[in-house]
Every structure is written in C-alpha cells, then in structure tokens.
Amino acid sequence: MDNDLGISIEEKVHRIKAYLDETMTPEEEVEFQRWLDTSVANRVLLDRIRDERILLNKIRFAERNDKGKGWDNIQKKIRKSPGIFIRFMRYVAVLVTIMLIGVAVYQVVDCRKEDDNGLLARKQPMSMKGGYRAYLELVTGERLVLDSTSNVTTRIEGAVIKAENKGTVIVDEQKTDSVTESVEYNRLVIPRGGEYKIVLADGSRVWINSQSVLEFPACFVGKERRVRLQGEAYFEVSKNVEKPFIVDMGNKEIRVLGTSFNVNDYDGKFVTTLVSGKVQVFVNDKDYVLTSSMQVRVEGDDVFVEEVDVREFTAWKDGLFVFKKQKLREVMDILSRWYDVDVFYQNLELQNLHFTGTIQRHSEISGILKFLEKTDIVKFTLNGKTLIVSK
C-alpha cells in the first residue's frame, strides 16, 4: 500500500471500505495507516466516504421516525451542497451502490427494540470497548502490531526494545563505543480505540491516548531529549537539569527538566495541564510558564492560562473518564476516539448540553451511553460504528 502509482479510485475506495467494515487483518491495518500517511488526498477520501456513511445513516434514521419530514430535511441538505453528491457519485458509484444495498437489506431484517434504559443498540459482532492497541514502526523498517498480550523483543542500533504484556513498550538503551550525533525517530502509533504506554531510554514514562502518535529515538544524544507528539499523552519525565526534555508538536513546544503533565492536541485545540514541577510552553510565538495545577489552553488565536482540577484532564491514564460540566460535543469527541465510532447529532443544539460524572474508561460503550441517558434529555442509537444522538 505504500505506493499509489497505478492504483485506481475504485481500489482506493475498496481499501477504505474494508477499513470501515473492520475486515482488515492487523497487518493490513498497519499498511493501511501507512498508505493514509503517504498522501493528504487519501485521508480526504477516507473522510469523504465516512461522511457519506453518516449521511446514509441519517436518511435511514429519518425514514423510520418520520418519513415525510425526514425526507424533506434530507432534500434541503442535498440542495445546499449538490456538488458533494455529484463529485462523490462520479468517482465512487460502485461503493455507494454497495452501501445502498446494505441499507435496503438492513431495513428488511432489522427488528431492534428499545431496552429499559432507552438505548437502541444493534448487537455488535465484537466487543465495543477500547483497550491496548498500537503499531510500533522502527527505523529499521520493522513494523509490529501490539496488543495486551504482546511479548516480543527486537534490537535496533543503540537499544533493545521490548513490548511487554499489559500494554507497555520499554526502550532499553545499550551503550556502544560508536559515537553518533544524528537522531532517528521510531514511531508508536495508537489507533482509535487504543492506548499504550512507553518507557523511554532515559526512564521517562509516557501514556499515549487514542488516535495519537509518539515519535521517539532509541537513545537521546546531544544537549536535549526531544520527542514528537500528535494527539494526547501524559508524561512523567525523569529529571536531568543538563539535558531538558522537549515535546515537539510542530508549531508548539513544551520544555521541561523533570515533571508530570498532560498534553492534548486534537482537532486544532491545544491544552497542556501541569500536575507537578514547572514547564515552559511555546505557542503562537509566546512563552508561558506553568506551575502545578496550572493549564494553558489555545483555541485559534486565543490563549487562556488558569488553575484547574488536574484529575479531570489526567484521569484517562488511570482508566477513568471524568466529566465536569463538560459539553456533550466534547464528551462525544472523547468517546468517538476511544470506542472508534462516528457521531451524528439529530439535533445540533444537543451538542451544548453539559454532563458531570465519573465513569470507568474500560466499560463497554453501552454502559457509558446508559449512564449519559440518565439525564432523560438525550438518547443514543448505536448502529454499527455510527452513534446517533437524539432527544
């Protein structure tokens, strides 16, 4: 999958369909993730197909509840953006036909009933629960698929890397006579629905959340300890006053000597929460110094620095979801990454509802949704990997 030359649009679509249908083997999924990384166009196509699936689920949902009104709403959406449908049908007519056939069959055989808690849920062929899942991509070209039972050891220049059970990778630096100043980065890729922990060569520990990537060297050379992060991670950094630890996120950077902090950098919203010690955060060409229980939050061009309850932002690494007057939209963003589902709101105003509570992170998704439904102002329909939110 690394090379796009000669690959037709139909083949690309079928790859994406296999990914969305979860029919890939773990090895094929690793190759698929690498294929996505080779081109922005591939990711755009994935997002476009995923959006089409969500829209089809909306059509299905609307027809069941109010056929006349539902179809009128769909027609309005089509009239607002006809170009999307024209382009998509031109390029991927085969896929849409397959999906529509699936919708028709589903309407005939589906006989779901609402349970005592109001949650509509189709029985899933597999557990809808996040867990230890990761892909380890080494500078040697070796790629390992990791889960809770992984127990492997591999050697690269300067280190032995061990993937142990219970979701942990350990980088054991090996002292050699050779001297090198160049730094090559390995990658620990965490897909949606996964989490993993890594112990770096200097003893620093990093918990990595769903839909995140940590790039790290086998050993730290030079005057700094630099790693690269996309997504979210919690760091416990080993103290070394002579060699600062740096978390690089492109146009943002965190510099520490030894401390504990959480970094969240999803969807254009950047949040760093300091648990202990002191850090410098460089963002938007400015330098912010944080002390314990302080947080810097960046939304667009706005930067906010305030004191917070750190547990709300770090409990995920200890197996908990902690929500404190959090908007439903933010709650659903978290759950969509952890349970690998797509969220559709039947009523957009529902996104601004607020929730407070503590939930076990490793619970089945049905238990989480039942908890949220106790407000009696929101309901959930779980259809495959699409979660529909309604009143």
Side-chain angles (χ1 to χ4, degrees), residues 1-62:
M1 284 193 182
D2 292 336
N3 194 338
D4 256 342
L5 295 177
I7 297 179
S8 66
I9 185 65
E10 290 81 5
E11 175 62 24
K12 292 181 180 181
V13 167
H14 281 291
R15 287 180 179 179
I16 292 174
K17 183 177 184 298
Y19 171 73
L20 295 176
D21 289 342
E22 291 189 315
T23 57
M24 287 182 167
T25 65
E27 291 77 11
E28 289 172 337
E29 189 169 348
V30 170
E31 291 296 328
F32 180 79
Q33 293 291 344
R34 292 177 63 84
W35 176 73
L36 287 179
D37 291 340
T38 63
S39 170
V40 173
N42 293 341
R43 288 193 173 277
V44 170
L45 183 59
L46 170 62
D47 292 339
R48 189 176 294 174
I49 293 175
R50 181 182 281 130
D51 289 345
E52 289 296 324
R53 284 195 165 190
I54 292 174
L55 182 57
L56 286 172
N57 280 315
K58 178 179 179 180
I59 295 173
R60 183 161 55 210
F61 185 86

Side-chain angles (χ1 to χ4, degrees), residues 93-106:
V94 174
L95 176 67
V96 174
T97 300
I98 293 171
M99 291 168 63
L100 289 174
I101 291 173
V103 170
V105 172
Y106 185 85

Side-chain angles (χ1 to χ4, degrees), residues 126-138:
M126 62 183 66
S127 174
M128 291 288 286
K129 184 166 63 173
Y132 297 121
R133 302 185 187 98
Y135 310 120
L136 180 59
E137 301 178 352
L138 303 175

Side-chain angles (χ1 to χ4, degrees), residues 325-381:
K325 295 182 180 180
Q326 202 153 357
K327 288 184 178 181
L328 180 61
R329 180 184 68 253
E330 297 170 340
V331 172
M332 290 296 102
D333 286 346
I334 292 171
L335 297 184
S336 69
R337 287 191 291 266
W338 180 237
Y339 290 105
D340 191 12
V341 295
D342 297 308
V343 180
F344 167 74
Y345 298 92
Q346 187 186 19
N347 309 96
L348 292 180
E349 63 269 20
L350 294 175
Q351 297 184 31
N352 295 318
L353 294 175
H354 288 79
F355 286 89
T356 297
T358 300
I359 314 170
Q360 290 291 328
R361 178 175 162 92
H362 291 275
S363 302
E364 290 284 349
I365 189 172
S366 57
I368 302 287
L369 299 179
K370 288 176 183 178
F371 172 82
L372 296 175
E373 283 187 337
K374 289 181 179 179
T375 60
D376 292 329
I377 56 176
V378 64
K379 300 294 181 183
F380 300 95
T381 302

Side-chain angles (χ1 to χ4, degrees), residues 58-74 346:
K58 178 179 179 180
I59 295 173
R60 183 161 55 210
F61 185 86
E63 286 180 341
R64 288 178 178 170
N65 289 273
D66 187 338
K67 291 187 177 180
K69 182 178 179 181
W71 180 247
D72 288 342
N73 290 336
I74 299 300
Q346 187 186 19

Side-chain angles (χ1 to χ4, degrees), residues 225 237-241 243-245 255-259 278:
R225 297 171 289 165
V237 178
S238 296
K239 190 171 184 178
N240 185 339
V241 295
K243 186 178 287 191
F245 190 97
R255 181 179 294 262
V256 304
L257 297 178
T259 188
K278 181 184 292 186

